[in-house]
Amino acid sequence: MRIIVSVIEKGGDHEFTHDLNFQQERYEAEHKITFKNPKANLLEKLKESGPVGGEENGVKSKRGDESAKKKKRSEKTVDMEKLADSLQRLGEEDLLQVVEMVHNNKTADTYTKNDVDQGEFHVDLYTLPDSLVRMLWDFCVEKLGS
Protein backbone atom coordinates (compact mmCIF):
# COMPACT_ATOMS: atom_id res chain seq x y z
CA MET A 1 0.00 0.00 0.00
CA ARG A 2 1.31 3.45 -0.91
CA ILE A 3 0.65 6.14 1.67
CA ILE A 4 1.02 9.84 0.95
CA VAL A 5 1.06 12.27 3.86
CA SER A 6 0.31 15.88 2.90
CA VAL A 7 1.69 18.39 5.40
CA ILE A 8 -0.15 21.58 6.34
CA GLU A 9 1.14 25.01 5.30
CA LYS A 10 3.03 23.97 2.17
CA GLY A 11 5.02 21.31 4.01
CA GLY A 12 5.01 19.10 0.94
CA ASP A 13 4.08 15.46 0.53
CA HIS A 14 5.86 12.53 2.17
CA GLU A 15 5.34 9.16 0.52
CA PHE A 16 6.14 5.71 1.86
CA THR A 17 5.15 2.13 1.20
CA HIS A 18 3.43 0.12 3.90
CA ASP A 19 3.16 -3.64 3.69
CA LEU A 20 -0.05 -4.99 5.19
CA ASN A 21 0.50 -8.18 7.16
CA PHE A 22 -2.53 -10.32 7.95
CA GLN A 23 -0.53 -13.35 9.15
CA GLN A 24 -0.21 -11.97 12.67
CA GLU A 25 -3.00 -10.83 14.96
CA ARG A 26 -1.10 -7.65 15.83
CA TYR A 27 1.18 -6.00 13.30
CA GLU A 28 3.17 -2.81 13.75
CA ALA A 29 5.50 -1.05 11.31
CA GLU A 30 7.14 2.26 12.07
CA HIS A 31 7.64 4.84 9.37
CA LYS A 32 9.65 7.91 10.32
CA ILE A 33 9.03 11.24 8.65
CA THR A 34 11.49 14.09 9.09
CA PHE A 35 10.27 17.66 8.76
CA LYS A 36 12.96 20.20 7.96
CA ASN A 37 12.30 23.58 9.56
CA PRO A 38 8.69 22.88 10.53
CA LYS A 39 6.39 25.85 11.06
CA ALA A 40 4.86 26.51 14.49
CA ASN A 41 1.36 25.39 13.39
CA LEU A 42 2.72 22.04 12.20
CA LEU A 43 4.56 21.51 15.49
CA GLU A 44 1.38 22.27 17.43
CA LYS A 45 -0.62 19.74 15.40
CA LEU A 46 2.10 17.10 15.76
CA LYS A 47 2.20 17.63 19.54
CA GLU A 48 -1.53 16.85 19.66
CA SER A 49 -0.83 13.36 18.31
CA GLY A 50 2.20 12.51 20.43
CA PRO A 51 5.68 13.51 21.49
CA VAL A 52 7.72 15.70 19.15
CA GLY A 53 11.54 15.68 19.03
CA GLY A 54 13.20 18.31 21.22
CA GLU A 55 13.52 20.92 18.51
CA GLU A 56 11.46 24.07 18.06
CA ASN A 57 11.31 25.32 14.47
CA GLY A 58 14.43 23.35 13.62
CA VAL A 59 16.59 25.21 16.16
CA LYS A 60 18.23 23.07 18.81
CA SER A 61 18.77 24.51 22.23
CA LYS A 62 22.35 25.47 22.98
CA ARG A 63 22.25 23.90 26.42
CA GLY A 64 22.50 20.13 26.27
CA ASP A 65 23.73 20.26 22.70
CA GLU A 66 26.93 18.41 23.66
CA SER A 67 25.04 15.60 25.37
CA ALA A 68 22.67 15.39 22.40
CA LYS A 69 25.65 14.87 20.08
CA LYS A 70 27.07 12.15 22.33
CA LYS A 71 23.71 10.43 22.58
CA LYS A 72 23.23 10.62 18.82
CA ARG A 73 26.64 9.03 18.24
CA SER A 74 25.91 6.18 20.63
CA GLU A 75 22.49 5.58 19.04
CA LYS A 76 24.12 5.26 15.63
CA THR A 77 26.67 2.73 16.83
CA VAL A 78 25.91 -0.48 14.99
CA ASP A 79 28.50 -3.17 14.41
CA MET A 80 28.43 -3.33 10.62
CA GLU A 81 30.14 -6.75 10.57
CA LYS A 82 27.45 -8.19 12.86
CA LEU A 83 24.76 -6.52 10.75
CA ALA A 84 26.18 -8.06 7.57
CA ASP A 85 26.36 -11.49 9.26
CA SER A 86 22.80 -11.16 10.57
CA LEU A 87 21.47 -10.19 7.15
CA GLN A 88 23.01 -13.32 5.66
CA ARG A 89 21.28 -15.51 8.26
CA LEU A 90 17.78 -14.17 7.52
CA GLY A 91 15.20 -16.31 5.76
CA GLU A 92 13.87 -15.61 2.27
CA GLU A 93 10.69 -13.81 3.41
CA ASP A 94 12.70 -11.62 5.78
CA LEU A 95 15.21 -10.81 3.04
CA LEU A 96 12.40 -9.61 0.81
CA GLN A 97 11.38 -7.21 3.59
CA VAL A 98 15.00 -6.04 3.89
CA VAL A 99 15.16 -5.31 0.15
CA GLU A 100 11.91 -3.35 0.41
CA MET A 101 13.22 -1.39 3.42
CA VAL A 102 16.40 -0.51 1.53
CA HIS A 103 14.49 0.60 -1.57
CA ASN A 104 12.04 2.70 0.46
CA ASN A 105 14.66 4.41 2.63
CA LYS A 106 17.78 4.72 0.48
CA THR A 107 19.34 8.04 -0.46
CA ALA A 108 21.08 9.22 -3.60
CA ASP A 109 24.39 8.13 -2.02
CA THR A 110 23.23 4.55 -1.40
CA TYR A 111 24.84 1.92 -3.62
CA THR A 112 22.50 -0.90 -4.63
CA LYS A 113 22.56 -3.41 -7.45
CA ASN A 114 19.60 -5.66 -8.17
CA ASP A 115 20.71 -8.61 -10.32
CA VAL A 116 17.39 -10.23 -11.17
CA ASP A 117 18.95 -12.83 -13.50
CA GLN A 118 21.19 -14.17 -10.71
CA GLY A 119 18.56 -13.61 -8.00
CA GLU A 120 20.94 -11.36 -6.09
CA PHE A 121 20.59 -7.99 -4.42
CA HIS A 122 23.75 -6.08 -3.50
CA VAL A 123 23.93 -3.15 -1.10
CA ASP A 124 26.92 -1.34 0.38
CA LEU A 125 25.98 -1.04 4.06
CA TYR A 126 28.38 1.87 4.54
CA THR A 127 26.43 4.00 2.05
CA LEU A 128 23.09 3.58 3.85
CA PRO A 129 21.65 6.46 5.89
CA ASP A 130 22.00 6.05 9.67
CA SER A 131 18.26 5.70 10.17
CA LEU A 132 18.15 2.78 7.71
CA VAL A 133 21.15 1.08 9.32
CA ARG A 134 19.37 1.30 12.69
CA MET A 135 16.13 0.04 11.11
CA LEU A 136 17.93 -2.97 9.59
CA TRP A 137 19.72 -3.68 12.87
CA ASP A 138 16.46 -3.59 14.83
CA PHE A 139 14.81 -5.83 12.23
CA CYS A 140 17.63 -8.41 12.47
CA VAL A 141 17.51 -8.37 16.27
CA GLU A 142 13.75 -8.89 16.16
CA LYS A 143 13.97 -11.78 13.69
CA LEU A 144 17.13 -13.50 14.96
CA GLY A 145 17.06 -12.54 18.60
CA SER A 146 20.66 -11.32 18.77
Side-chain angles (χ1 to χ4, degrees):
M1 170 183 356
R2 221 174 90 214
I3 298 174
I4 301 171
V5 177
S6 298
V7 182
I8 60 174
E9 292 192 21
K10 300 180 184 177
D13 291 342
H14 297 270
E15 182 179 330
F16 55 91
T17 303
H18 178 75
D19 180 33
L20 293 177
N21 183 343
F22 296 107
Q23 295 176 352
Q24 301 170 4
E25 187 175 312
R26 184 172 190 279
Y27 175 69
E28 185 176 310
E30 287 186 21
H31 300 281
K32 293 187 180 184
I33 299 175
T34 303
F35 299 101
K36 295 183 180 176
N37 298 322
K39 301 209 186 293
N41 287 345
L42 174 60
L43 285 173
E44 287 175 27
K45 293 292 183 187
L46 289 172
K47 285 178 184 175
E48 289 175 12
S49 67
V52 176
E55 299 181 10
E56 293 293 326
N57 277 342
V59 178
K60 293 182 181 178
S61 64
K62 299 285 184 194
R63 203 167 29 139
D65 199 28
E66 191 66 33
S67 63
K69 284 182 184 178
K70 287 180 183 177
K71 183 178 178 186
K72 197 169 189 179
R73 268 188 241 127
S74 65
E75 286 175 357
K76 289 183 193 177
T77 307
V78 170
D79 186 334
M80 298 299 259
E81 295 295 322
K82 285 184 181 178
L83 177 59
D85 181 54
S86 297
L87 289 169
Q88 291 176 7
R89 292 188 293 142
L90 290 173
E92 186 175 338
E93 290 295 316
D94 294 334
L95 287 173
L96 290 173
Q97 282 185 277
V98 167
V99 170
E100 187 175 332
M101 280 190 261
V102 170
H103 277 298
N104 292 340
N105 297 287
K106 67 183 178 179
T107 63
D109 297 332
T110 303
Y111 171 80
T112 60
K113 178 182 173 191
N114 196 358
D115 190 348
V116 179
D117 295 334
Q118 296 293 322
E120 295 178 347
F121 178 77
H122 302 264
V123 61
D124 183 346
L125 296 177
Y126 291 99
T127 63
L128 297 177
D130 294 332
S131 60
L132 180 54
V133 170
R134 174 55 65 186
M135 190 185 306
L136 291 173
W137 177 260
D138 292 342
F139 181 79
C140 288
V141 167
E142 177 188 327
K143 295 297 180 179
L144 301 172
S146 60

